[in-house]
Amino acid sequence: MEILFDYEHLRLIWWLFLGVLLIGFAVMDGFDLGVAALLPLVARTDLERRVAINSIGPVWDGNQVWLVLGAGAIFAAWPAIYAAAFSGFYIALFLVLVTLILRPVGFEFRNKFADTRWRGFWDAALVAGGVVPSLVFGVAFGNLLQGVPFRIDGDLRVFYEGGGLLELLNPFGLLAGLLSLAMLTTHGAVYLALKTDGTVRQRAAAYVRAGAPATILLFLLAGLWVALGLPGYALVGTVVTDGPSNPLFKQVELRPGGWLANYAAHPWMIAAPVLGVLGPAGAFIATLKDRPGAAFIASATGIAGIVATAGVSMFPMLMPSSLVPSASLTVWDASSSHRTLLVMLVATLIFLPLILAYTSLIFRVLRGRVGPADIQRNPSSLY
C-alpha cells in the first residue's frame, strides 16, 4: 500500500486519471458539441432543430461536469501545466469559454419567442458553441505535440514568448483541429441516430457514413506526419521520478521520430491508435446495419483511442517547451505535492463513482427517442 501511494505512483495515477477525465469529456460532452455543430446540416426547419436540441437539452449540463473535472484536475494536480496553458493559449481558451457560455444561454433563450430571427441568432450561437471548442481543443493538442514556446526562470515563473492565436493555427495544429472536429461531429451524428426519429435521424446517419471515414483519414494523416516529419521530445540522462517538482532539474532533447519511442519500448501501447482507427470504422459499419447502440459504443471507443494515442505518445511529457526543451513539463516534475495528490485521490475515489452512478441513472430515465411528434404534442417544451 505504501508503494502504491508513494510520490512516483501517485504522479502516474494522476496522469492516468487526467487521461480518463479527458476521454470522459470527449465522449460525454463530445456528442453535445457534435450535435450543436451539426445543426445546419441535420436540421433544416425549426421543428427539426428542436428535435436535435431536445435530444441533448436535458443532459448537456451533466455532461459538462467532465470538463469541470478535467480543468479542476489540471489546476490541482498539475498547476504548472495550468499556468503555462493559460499563458500560451489565452486567446484560444477565451474563445472556448465565450462559446461555451453562449451554449446554455442559447438552450434557455431560443424557445422564448417564436420569431425566426430570434431563434436563428441563438441557433447560430449553439453552432459556434459546438464548432469552436471542438476545433480549438484539437488545435491545442496539435501544438502540444510540436512544443509550446515558453521558458521557466529560476523562481519557476512561466514566461510565454510565442505569438498570438494565429501562431497556433499552423498546418499541423489545424490538421489536429480538423481531426477533433470530424471526430466529435461524427460522435454527435451517431448520438442523433440513436436518440432521434424521422428526417434528423436519416441525415445524421448519412453524416456518420461520411464523417467516420474522414476521421480515420485525418487520424492516419496526423500519425504519418508525426512519424515522418515531427520530432519528439525525450528525457535524457538520469530520470528522477519521485523528486521535487522542479522542471529545471532534467535534460530534454529533440529526436526525429521521438513520439514513437514509447511504442517500441512498450508494444502494448499500439492498442491506442488501433482503437482510434477501429472505433470510427465500427461506427460506420454499425450505422450501415442500422445498429445505433453499437455505433455509439464504437464511436466512444474510437475517441478513447485517439485521445489515448496523444497521451501515450507524449508520456512522460505533458507540455514540452520548444523554446527551452529542458524546461518542458513532465509527469515527474510538474505535479502538486505528495500530500495534495493523495488527498485528491481519496476525494476522487469517493466522488467519481457517484458521478458515474448519477450519469447512468439520468440516461436510463431519459432513454428513448425524440421525434417531431413529441415536439408537436408539447409545443411549449423548454427547448
Side-chain angles (χ1 to χ4, degrees):
M1 186 65 69
E2 290 183 3
I3 294 177
L4 179 62
F5 293 139
D6 64 19
Y7 206 6
E8 176 184 356
H9 286 89
L10 278 175
R11 283 168 162 165
L12 185 58
I13 288 170
W14 271 102
W15 175 77
L16 292 171
F17 265 138
L18 180 60
V20 169
L21 294 174
L22 291 176
I23 291 171
F25 165 69
V27 170
M28 299 304 297
D29 203 27
F31 68 73
D32 296 327
L33 297 174
V35 169
L38 287 175
L39 277 180
L41 299 179
V42 300
R44 297 170 188 170
T45 67
D46 184 66
L47 180 60
E48 291 171 353
R49 286 191 288 272
R50 292 189 68 188
V51 169
I53 292 170
N54 273 272
S55 72
I56 59 173
V59 298
W60 74 268
D61 47 354
N63 293 337
Q64 197 160 276
V65 167
W66 291 96
L67 175 61
V68 176
L69 289 174
I74 295 174
F75 176 75
W78 314 100
I81 303 296
Y82 201 85
F86 271 86
S87 296
F89 305 142
Y90 182 83
I91 300 298
L93 292 174
F94 178 78
L95 289 175
V96 169
L97 181 61
V98 169
T99 52
L100 288 179
I101 289 173
L102 284 175
R103 183 167 61 166
V105 179
F107 281 134
E108 298 298 330
F109 278 20
R110 82 169 303 277
N111 203 34
K112 299 301 182 184
F113 301 102
D115 181 75
T116 302
R117 290 174 297 179
W118 173 268
R119 290 186 174 180
F121 173 81
W122 291 114
D123 287 342
L126 290 175
V127 173
V131 172
V132 173
S134 299
L135 186 66
V136 169
F137 287 139
V139 168
F141 269 100
N143 279 272
L144 284 180
L145 286 165
Q146 296 175 90
V148 181
F150 71 90
R151 62 181 177 84
I152 300 176
D153 69 5
D155 295 322
L156 300 184
R157 295 178 298 178
V158 177
F159 295 89
Y160 178 77
E161 298 186 4
L165 178 63
L166 293 180
E167 185 175 295
L168 300 178
L169 302 178
N170 52 73
F172 184 77
L174 286 173
L175 174 61
L178 291 175
L179 169 59
S180 175
L181 184 61
M183 176 182 74
L184 295 183
T185 51
T186 300
H187 193 50
V190 168
Y191 178 81
L192 284 173
L194 175 66
K195 288 290 293 182
T196 64
D197 272 328
T199 305
V200 172
R201 182 171 186 263
Q202 294 170 5
R203 290 180 183 144
Y207 185 88
V208 174
R209 294 192 290 270
T215 301
I216 295 172
L217 178 62
L218 290 169
F219 183 51
L220 292 176
L221 182 59
L224 186 63
W225 194 325
V226 169
L228 301 180
L230 197 67
Y233 293 76
L235 293 171
V236 295
T238 302
V239 179
V240 179
T241 58
D242 59 355
S245 289
N246 190 327
L248 302 180
F249 290 173
K250 67 176 182 306
Q251 293 296 317
V252 176
E253 67 179 19
L254 273 173
R255 293 177 180 172
W259 292 137
L260 305 181
N262 283 338
Y263 299 103
H266 308 285
W268 60 268
M269 289 184 175
I270 198 69
V274 168
L275 289 177
V277 173
L278 293 182
F284 177 85
I285 295 171
T287 300
L288 289 179
K289 295 183 176 181
D290 196 22
R291 298 179 58 188
F296 186 85
I297 293 173
S299 179
T301 301
I303 289 174
I306 291 172
V307 175
T309 296
V312 299
S313 298
M314 293 181 63
F315 183 84
M317 295 289 166
L318 293 173
M319 182 175 285
S321 169
S322 61
L323 196 63
V324 184
S326 294
S328 299
L329 303 174
T330 75
V331 171
W332 312 124
D333 59 24
S335 72
S336 294
S337 67
H338 178 274
R339 175 167 299 198
T340 298
L341 296 182
L342 182 58
V343 171
M344 287 175 56
L345 177 61
V346 172
T348 300
L349 292 176
I350 293 173
F351 290 106
L352 187 58
L354 295 177
I355 293 172
L356 293 173
Y358 170 79
T359 301
S360 299
L361 176 63
I362 291 299
F363 277 90
R364 179 175 177 79
V365 170
L366 297 175
R367 65 187 181 278
R369 297 182 183 274
V370 179
D374 300 299
I375 305 299
Q376 290 169 336
R377 280 196 301 267
N378 186 19
S380 60
S381 61
L382 181 58
Y383 306 107

